[in-house]
Amino acid sequence: MIAGLYVPGESPLHRLDVGVKLLVLMALGIGLILTKSVLLLILVVAVTGLLFAFAAELGLMRLWQTTRPLLIWFVFIAVAQILVANAETAGLIVLRLAVLVWAAALVTYTTRLSDMMECLIRIIGWLSPLGVPPHRVAFMIALTIRLIPALSDVVQDVRDAQRARGIENSIIASVVPVLTRVFQQADAMSEALEARGYERWDDQRNNAP
Amino acid sequence: MNIALDHVTVRFQDRPVLTNVSVTLTENRIGVIGDNGSGKSTFARLLNGLLIPDTGAVLVNGVSTKTDGKEVRRQVGFLFQNPDNQIVMPTVAEDLALGLKPQRLESEDRDQKVAKMLERFGLSHLADRSAHLLSGGEKQLVALAGVMIAEPDIVVCDEPTTLLDQRNAAIVMSVIGSLPCPVITVTHHVEQLAGFDRVLVLADGKVVFDGNPKTALSFYKDSLA
């Protein structure tokens, strides 16, 4: 179950400025594309894994939990690359992906969403004159992340209710109740946002110097 | 507090939900009871401008919900039945901080205020926890803390304990009872209204009783018989 992305902690990586983390992540992504050495990539994988498990104090178990759902894709990509290219290319691609996934997870696990939002607002702030509202974009992203576990719960509830009625694994039977509940939840949440004064947050931003 | 409903009527698709309701609310603790479909939640939503009446007017401390809904919602906090819909951010502390956005505080001041509010509600140990994984009672307290951190003048609670077990319901009601500002609580748990200053009984979209809790409760119980 997705329980929210941030893992509370006091590690040096938790304390590191979110802007620096995102810059390093971006530089790492570019570097990975440019690297052609499998040995170097193995070294980067090892360092990223150590940072993840020990420097960020997230542990080997969480590293495994992060990797496990992707293993099947890694195998699929590796096999496809071996068939169309060679084993070295397959190794390069899988190692690059592993580093990227771990590094991205490392950033999200060690960064509060609110800090990420503030950083995002700074990054896309220059788009304001073009009519792009940075606060709204950042809030929309935050809300989307917040709703992932809620949506997962709705799907699970509906599936349980269907199974209780003897309907096993019917996507068609689940679609309508899931959509109904999602729309109801969206309505209720927009009403709650209004009650919490979301429109005033907007006013404050618009009036900001 | 002064909330005045003046000849208020609300219809949903031509079906009257509230009909010609006129009351003035000034007491510190007001309860609203009634059966399902009696118009309780509609009544509550009128008080902070989430709903605008089809006819009549609602004035909160002299401000019309129709012409200045934003100001009314600044004054009137609203606690919903289902906290899952009210909690917006992934962690407890972040959700409380969201309510401080209009105040444009420096991050240190904001964090201090959040910590203070969490402490006040006995939620400090949950600050960095995923709100999604809390118990029902904890979620409702987080939602209430999220309302209170915006420092409203009045709080409206719409069936705040309906989804909770008795123990958590008692905790939430105790916290609501201790709030320093006037509170209007909509419920169908009549026993929760003991000690209130005034109770309204709604039936079929009308206020059928308005008085002290003791008399209101016996009126409501008689009407169920």
Side-chain angles (χ1 to χ4, degrees), chain A residues 126-189:
Chain A
W126 62 274
L127 291 173
S128 289
L130 302 174
V132 178
H135 288 84
R136 283 193 191 190
V137 173
F139 186 68
M140 196 174 67
I141 292 168
L143 204 55
T144 305
I145 292 171
R146 156 73 178 87
L147 285 175
I148 291 170
L151 184 62
S152 164
D153 279 357
V154 169
V155 172
Q156 191 59 49
D157 279 356
V158 169
R159 283 182 63 189
D160 287 348
Q162 303 287 14
R163 285 167 64 197
R165 295 178 61 196
I167 305 166
E168 298 282 344
N169 296 326
S170 168
I171 292 174
I172 293 169
S174 300
V175 167
V176 172
V178 165
L179 283 180
T180 306
R181 283 193 46 187
V182 166
F183 286 133
Q184 282 172 345
Q185 202 165 6
D187 266 353
M189 194 167 260

Side-chain angles (χ1 to χ4, degrees), chain B:
Chain B
M1 170 178 81
N2 189 309
I3 300 182
L5 282 79
D6 182 21
H7 296 93
V8 165
T9 295
V10 178
R11 293 185 194 85
F12 288 148
Q13 296 173 340
D14 292 336
R15 184 176 64 87
V17 184
L18 280 180
T19 309
N20 202 28
V21 172
S22 291
V23 286
T24 302
L25 309 172
T26 56
E27 292 76 5
N28 208 34
R29 290 289 181 272
I30 297 175
V32 181
I33 55 174
D35 297 339
N36 289 341
S38 59
K40 300 191 300 292
S41 288
T42 303
F43 184 88
R45 278 162 173 71
L46 286 168
L47 305 181
N48 77 336
L50 283 176
L51 263 181
I52 304 298
D54 291 307
T55 57
V58 179
L59 298 177
V60 176
N61 293 332
V63 180
S64 165
T65 59
K66 194 171 185 175
T67 55
D68 200 353
K70 286 182 197 177
E71 172 56 21
V72 168
R73 281 187 284 279
R74 191 198 63 74
Q75 291 187 30
V76 184
F78 198 100
L79 184 66
F80 289 83
Q81 185 185 100
N82 186 352
D84 276 327
N85 297 328
Q86 189 154 2
I87 298 171
V88 175
M89 296 296 279
T91 66
V92 171
E94 286 176 297
D95 193 73
L96 262 64
L98 198 68
L100 292 172
K101 270 197 174 293
Q103 298 180 25
R104 298 176 58 80
L105 300 172
E106 292 297 322
S107 60
E108 258 182 39
D109 295 338
R110 185 192 62 202
D111 292 347
Q112 261 184 11
K113 272 200 159 188
V114 169
K116 212 170 164 183
M117 187 58 69
L118 287 170
E119 195 183 337
R120 183 175 148 196
F121 280 78
L123 297 168
S124 298
H125 61 296
L126 301 175
D128 282 328
R129 287 270 295 276
S130 166
H132 175 69
L133 294 182
L134 304 179
S135 73
E138 288 169 340
K139 280 183 192 174
Q140 196 58 290
L141 287 179
V142 169
L144 183 57
V147 170
M148 292 309 295
I149 203 162
E151 299 173 359
D153 302 327
I154 303 160
V155 173
V156 176
C157 305
D158 183 16
E159 302 194 35
T161 62
T162 298
L163 302 178
L164 305 181
D165 59 43
Q166 278 194 332
R167 187 175 154 276
N168 279 303
I171 293 170
V172 168
M173 284 312 292
S174 157
V175 173
I176 289 173
S178 70
L179 295 179
C181 58
V183 180
I184 299 165
T185 306
V186 172
T187 182
H188 52 249
H189 296 292
V190 290
E191 70 283 355
Q192 291 176 347
L193 301 178
F196 275 47
D197 301 316
R198 179 180 174 188
V199 172
L200 309 179
V201 182
L202 294 187
D204 297 326
K206 291 175 184 159
V207 177
V208 292
F209 185 90
D210 182 355
N212 66 62
K214 203 175 168 186
T215 325
L217 298 189
S218 59
F219 176 89
Y220 182 58
K221 283 176 181 168
D222 287 348
S223 73
L224 295 174

